[in-house]
Amino acid sequence: MVYNFSAGPAMLPAPVLKKVQSELLDWQGLGVSVMEMSHRDPVYVKMTEVAEQDLRDLMNIPDNYAVLFMHGGGRGQFSAVAQNLAGPTATVDYLNTGTWSDFAIREAKKYVKQVNVLDVMTEIDGLKQVKSADQWALSEQAAYFHYCPNETVDGIAIHQVPRVQAPIVVDMSSVILSEPIDVSQYGVIYAGAQKNIGPSGLAVVIIRKDLLETQQSRVCTIMNYQVQAAEKSMYNTPNTFAWYLAGEVFKWLKAEGGVEAMADLNNRKSALLYECVDNSSFYQNKIHVNNRSKMNVPFQLKNAALDDLFLQEAAQEGLLALKGHRFVGGMRASMYNAMPYEGAQALVDFMTRFAHQHS
Ligand SMILES: *Cc1c(COP(=O)(O)O)cnc(C)c1O
């Protein structure tokens, strides 16, 4: 048995992969694979409509929001957001909570004159945390407020939606579909697909329709929200395979009980792992409990000299991809929707044994 803790591209549900395999050579009795047909074929178009509806059902997306399936993954949206939603003279607010926020900020600065960066990370008693919202220096008239509720690299999360005047643009690449959310609180939700949705390269964008009206004209056309909404995400040839696979993941999610069931599963997995870390003198996680991620759990061995051995023995037991991001070191266990509870249990069992042997 293998459990893949990769941060992304991450594990996909096994039943989905089996189904995709079974219909790879002959999709819907058409005698060709889904990758070998026109995206304008009525059978394919129908599939995209079902995928969108399933996503709408799963996330309870109101009718005044458009759903786009775009190219370029999460980072493509770093540029798309800035190009579409802010004119060259606009001011925008960006919360900086870690690696991905920082990349988004750097991209926005290419297109927007006034990028107001809110450096909100602080460390109290050795624990990283996000400063409380009353300490954020928001602008008077921001075109939008951008933040990343789950910093995939750093394992830092913001669990409450910030209360701000400007439309909220949110990078949900590593938390989308992991718990129920109220879509109406956001202006734009975007996510690269490779953590909780499907293959990399695809991005899902959920945008309040009035924001399509105010957008800028000089936007690279395949990244233009207005164009993609009008063309049903088919201005140019979409990534047909990724879209199809995402649709299969949505069906699987519905059958599993939707985002409520996922939230319960994700709570249980992350609680198990944090408990193991917190109750040991061998491992540590230096993030305040209020800002701990449920998707990506970074932890360190207090004796870093044992890191390589830990990774080697874990891999021998089928526990894969636990090495932390090169920016932060240590370990990181990413446990998106497709990771079963048994995976978290197997990891904790291994960690307990390893600690015992080396203490
Ligand atoms: C993975 C990730 C991205 C980048 O996604 P790409 O598809 O590689 O561009 C952006 N933001 C967050 C929060 C991520 O986890």
Side-chain angles (χ1 to χ4, degrees):
M1 192 68 208
V2 160
Y3 293 112
N4 174 10
F5 293 91
S6 173
M11 75 181 283
L12 287 161
V16 170
L17 291 179
K18 287 213 180 83
K19 178 160 186 245
V20 168
Q21 183 184 42
S22 77
E23 55 195 32
L24 190 63
L25 298 187
D26 180 8
W27 187 59
Q28 302 214 2
L30 297 170
V32 295
S33 83
V34 68
M35 278 176 280
E36 303 168 297
M37 61 191 297
S38 169
H39 54 295
R40 314 250 179 232
D41 186 294
V43 180
Y44 188 83
V45 171
K46 177 75 192 157
M47 184 287 296
T48 64
E49 287 166 0
V50 171
E52 176 176 334
Q53 190 55 52
D54 284 344
L55 183 64
R56 285 184 178 276
D57 295 346
L58 283 163
M59 294 181 68
N60 208 358
I61 300 174
D63 288 343
N64 64 326
Y65 284 74
V67 176
L68 312 178
F69 289 82
M70 294 182 68
H71 298 277
R75 287 179 99 146
Q77 293 307 310
F78 293 174
S79 343
V81 158
Q83 287 185 46
N84 279 282
L85 302 176
T89 59
T91 299
V92 293
D93 282 345
Y94 273 73
L95 215 58
N96 190 359
T97 47
T99 308
W100 285 117
S101 306
D102 190 49
F103 281 130
I105 289 162
R106 283 195 245 168
E107 194 65 16
K109 283 181 174 168
K110 292 187 189 168
Y111 304 103
V112 188
K113 194 147 175 229
Q114 292 293 333
V115 179
N116 178 32
V117 179
L118 307 162
D119 284 311
V120 295
M121 291 310 299
T122 182
E123 208 172 294
I124 301 173
D125 298 333
L127 297 178
K128 283 190 197 160
Q129 50 196 285
V130 179
K131 287 182 196 165
S132 64
D134 55 8
Q135 296 178 55
W136 302 354
L138 296 163
S139 329
E140 285 289 312
Q141 290 249 308
Y144 62 83
F145 168 91
H146 180 280
Y147 84 112
C148 178
N150 190 75
E151 287 281 2
T152 320
V153 170
D154 314 81
I156 289 162
I158 295 178
H159 295 292
Q160 280 95 30
V161 185
R163 293 226 183 120
V164 297
Q165 291 296 317
I168 297 177
V169 177
V170 67
D171 176 3
M172 288 204 183
S173 295
S174 51
V175 276
I176 193 163
L177 293 165
S178 70
E179 62 188 355
I181 61 161
D182 175 3
V183 171
S184 72
Q185 292 185 286
Y186 304 92
V188 179
I189 296 170
Y190 68 86
Q194 69 272 32
K195 280 98 189 203
N196 247 342
I197 294 176
S200 59
L202 180 74
V204 168
V205 178
I206 301 162
I207 178 167
R208 215 176 60 212
K209 285 179 180 165
D210 62 284
L211 294 171
L212 294 170
E213 306 309 322
T214 60
Q215 76 157 38
Q216 308 303 312
S217 55
R218 292 183 61 194
V219 181
C220 154
T221 314
I222 66 163
M223 287 297 179
N224 187 309
Y225 292 150
Q226 210 172 46
V227 170
Q228 290 290 20
E231 300 281 341
K232 296 192 155 58
S233 307
M234 291 195 188
Y235 164 72
N236 74 327
T237 314
N239 183 336
T240 54
F241 183 73
W243 200 342
Y244 147 80
L245 209 150
E248 291 299 323
V249 170
F250 300 154
K251 284 184 205 161
W252 173 81
L253 277 170
K254 279 181 126 176
E256 290 290 304
V259 290
E260 288 79 11
M262 289 302 129
D264 176 59
L265 173 65
N266 293 326
N267 281 334
R268 289 189 294 120
K269 288 181 300 194
S270 56
L272 186 69
L273 182 47
Y274 282 119
E275 190 183 283
C276 167
V277 170
D278 290 343
N279 290 343
S280 101
S281 51
F282 192 83
Y283 303 105
Q284 64 183 10
N285 165 287
K286 298 191 136 191
I287 298 164
H288 192 280
V289 285
N290 293 346
N291 292 120
R292 281 178 166 180
S293 165
K294 295 176 189 175
M295 298 281 99
N296 313 93
V297 180
F299 61 92
Q300 297 86 38
L301 277 63
K302 286 189 184 164
N303 177 3
L306 292 169
D307 281 3
D308 287 343
L309 187 66
F310 178 93
L311 288 167
Q312 203 184 323
E313 290 190 8
Q316 276 162 10
E317 300 208 9
L319 305 169
L320 307 183
L322 287 164
K323 194 175 165 69
H325 191 280
R326 62 188 193 281
F327 291 178
V328 292
M331 308 298 153
R332 172 178 50 169
S334 296
M335 300 184 291
Y336 303 111
N337 290 341
M339 177 62 69
Y341 185 78
E342 292 71 31
Q345 186 67 63
L347 174 59
V348 163
D349 290 347
F350 166 73
M351 287 169 65
T352 309
R353 242 180 304 127
F354 189 88
H356 193 70
Q357 281 161 9
H358 297 280
S359 297

